[in-house]
C-alpha cells in the first residue's frame, strides 16, 4: 500500500501522464492517497513559510483540503460541464483524485529549510503543480488539446484568485486599522 502511494507521488513529480491514464491508480484507496498528498502539501507549505513567518501547520493542512475541493470543483464544472470534448464523461471523484495527485510536487517544499530557499522552491513547486494540473486535466478529461487543458486550469486559477482576493479584501475592511481616522 505504501509502495503504491510512493509510486503515485513519484509519477506525479515526474509529470508522467500514464499516472492519469491508468485506471489502477484510481482504485478504492486513490482518493485517500490524493487527500494525504494534499495534507502533506499544506504542511510542507507551512514548514517552508515558517522559515520567514510563523504559520499554523495544522491550519495549513486543513486549508489544503479546502483548496483541493475548490480546484476540483472548478476544473470539473469548467472541463466537464461547460466545455467538454465529445469523449468527456468523468465522475467528480476522478477529477478530485487527479487534482490531489497533481499536487505531489508541493511535497518538495519540505526542502525549503532556509529563508533564502523558500521563495525559489515555492515558485518552482507552484509552477510544477500547475503543469501537473494541466497534464492531469488533459488525461482524465480525454482532451485532444494541451491548450484547452491549459485554458481550463488557468480559468479555474483566475476564478480562485479572484475569490481569494475578494475574500481577503473583505476581511481587511474589518481590521481595526481601517477604523482609525
Amino acid at each position: 500500500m505504501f509502495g503504491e502511494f510512493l509510486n503515485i507521488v513519484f509519477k506525479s513529480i515526474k509529470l508522467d501522464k500514464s499516472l492519469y491514464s491508468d485506471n489502477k491508480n484510481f482504485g478504492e484507496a486513490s482518493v485517500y492517497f490524493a487527500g494525504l498528498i494534499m495534507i502533506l502539501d499544506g504542511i510542507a507549505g507551512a514548514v517552508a513559510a515558517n522559515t520567514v513567518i510563523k504559520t499554523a501547520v495544522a491550519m495549513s493542512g486543513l486549508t489544503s483540503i479546502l483548496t483541493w475541493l475548490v480546484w476540483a470543483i472548478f476544473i470539473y464544472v469548467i472541463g466537464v460541464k461547460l466545455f467538454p470534448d465529445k469523449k468527456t464523461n468523468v465522475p467528480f471523484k476522478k477529477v478530485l483524485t487527479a487534482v490531489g495527485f497533481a499536487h505531489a510536487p508541493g511535497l518538495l517544499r519540505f526542502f525549503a529549510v532556509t529563508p533564502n530557499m523558500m521563495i525559489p522552491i515555492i515558485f518552482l513547486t507552484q509552477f510544477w503543480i500547475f503543469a501537473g494540473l494541466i497534464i492531469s486535466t488533459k488525461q482524465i478529461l480525454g482532451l485532444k488539446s494541451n491548450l484547452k487543458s491549459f485554458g481550463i486550469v488557468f480559468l479555474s486559477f483566475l476564478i480562485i484568485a479572484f475569490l481569494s482576493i475578494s475574500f481577503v479584501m473583505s476581511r481587511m475592511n474589518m481590521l481595526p486599522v481601517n477604523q482609525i481616522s
Side-chain angles (χ1 to χ4, degrees):
M1 184 89 104
F2 185 68
E4 190 179 340
F5 174 74
L6 287 179
N7 184 43
I8 288 169
V9 169
F10 288 130
K11 279 187 169 187
S12 177
I13 288 173
K14 291 188 312 185
L15 299 176
D16 185 351
K17 65 182 181 181
S18 71
L19 171 64
Y20 306 104
S21 56
D22 190 356
N23 282 333
K24 77 174 179 118
N25 294 323
F26 292 91
E28 290 181 29
S30 63
V31 76
Y32 299 109
F33 289 158
L36 182 58
I37 288 170
M38 289 304 301
I39 291 169
L40 292 173
D41 178 48
I43 292 170
V47 168
N50 272 334
T51 62
V52 178
I53 58 169
K54 293 298 173 203
T55 307
V57 174
M59 192 60 164
S60 293
L62 291 173
T63 303
S64 68
I65 295 294
L66 179 63
T67 302
W68 176 37
L69 289 170
V70 170
W71 265 110
I73 289 168
F74 283 122
I75 288 174
Y76 181 80
V77 169
I78 295 168
V80 175
K81 298 299 181 186
L82 296 178
F83 303 111
D85 272 1
K86 290 178 180 148
K87 293 190 291 182
T88 304
N89 186 13
V90 179
F92 177 73
K93 181 182 174 188
K94 192 166 186 177
V95 174
L96 183 68
T97 303
V99 168
F101 289 172
H103 277 79
L107 301 178
L108 298 174
R109 293 176 182 160
F110 280 116
F111 294 110
V113 293
T114 66
N116 293 341
M117 293 174 65
M118 182 198 65
I119 291 178
I121 288 177
I122 287 179
F123 275 115
L124 173 70
T125 56
Q126 198 57 46
F127 282 112
W128 204 338
I129 290 168
F130 202 76
L133 285 169
I134 292 168
I135 291 167
S136 69
T137 300
K138 182 180 181 195
Q139 291 303 119
I140 61 168
L141 299 183
L143 303 175
K144 294 178 183 140
S145 166
N146 287 328
L147 188 60
K148 186 169 185 178
S149 178
F150 172 81
I152 291 168
V153 172
F154 189 67
L155 183 57
S156 299
F157 169 76
L158 288 177
I159 294 169
I160 291 167
F162 175 76
L163 293 174
S164 297
I165 290 170
S166 298
F167 179 76
V168 169
M169 291 302 194
S170 70
R171 296 293 177 247
M172 287 181 75
N173 287 333
M174 299 163 101
L175 293 175
V177 175
N178 291 331
Q179 305 299 325
I180 300 173
S181 312

